[in-house]
Amino acid sequence: MEMSKQEYQKYVQDRAQTSPLAKDCLLAFVIGGGICVVGQLVMDGYTALGLDKTDAGTATAISMVLLSVVLTGLNLYNKLARYGGAGTLVPITGFANAVASPAIDFKAEGLVTGMAAKMFTVAGPVIVFGVAASVLYGVVLMLL
């Protein structure tokens, strides 16, 4: 069965489901906000334990990465992402999930060629860009 590009486009448009944009945005806002609330509660807890603001922020970042990786390993972060969509891309937890998820998916291929190699397929370009941008920013700041 031969189809022209226009016929194929019409076929795809007829079959495609429309996305409930308002609902998706609301869920992303609620889930992303919920993750941020959890992070704030963790930070308040560390502050209540006597850590200063800087140390509490560092401990919170570590705790949120750990929580994200554990939830990814238990396949709960993916379920949350299916429900909350882009709301789960809150920077620190979304990044931790992006590093842990490919490592878990490819663990059957071995420690080095599977987990270690695939761990940075998504996160690698982000890390490289972050390092390059910070070096460039540092050089510009030093020159000024």
Side-chain angles (χ1 to χ4, degrees), residues 4-81:
S4 69
K5 287 184 180 183
Q6 292 81 15
E7 290 173 328
Y8 180 72
Q9 291 284 341
K10 184 175 178 348
Y11 175 78
V12 169
Q13 287 176 353
D14 290 343
R15 300 277 189 246
Q17 296 178 356
T18 58
S19 176
L21 186 61
K23 177 185 167 198
D24 289 348
C25 289
L26 181 64
L27 285 172
F29 177 77
V30 170
I31 297 299
I35 292 170
C36 292
V37 167
V38 169
Q40 186 64 51
L41 290 171
V42 170
M43 185 164 177
D44 291 347
Y46 283 126
T47 304
L49 291 174
L51 293 177
D52 65 6
K53 189 175 181 179
T54 303
D55 291 339
T58 302
T60 300
I62 292 168
S63 297
M64 293 304 288
V65 166
L66 177 66
L67 180 63
S68 176
V69 170
V70 168
L71 290 176
T72 299
L74 297 173
N75 200 30
L76 296 175
Y77 203 91
N78 288 342
K79 291 178 183 177
L80 184 66

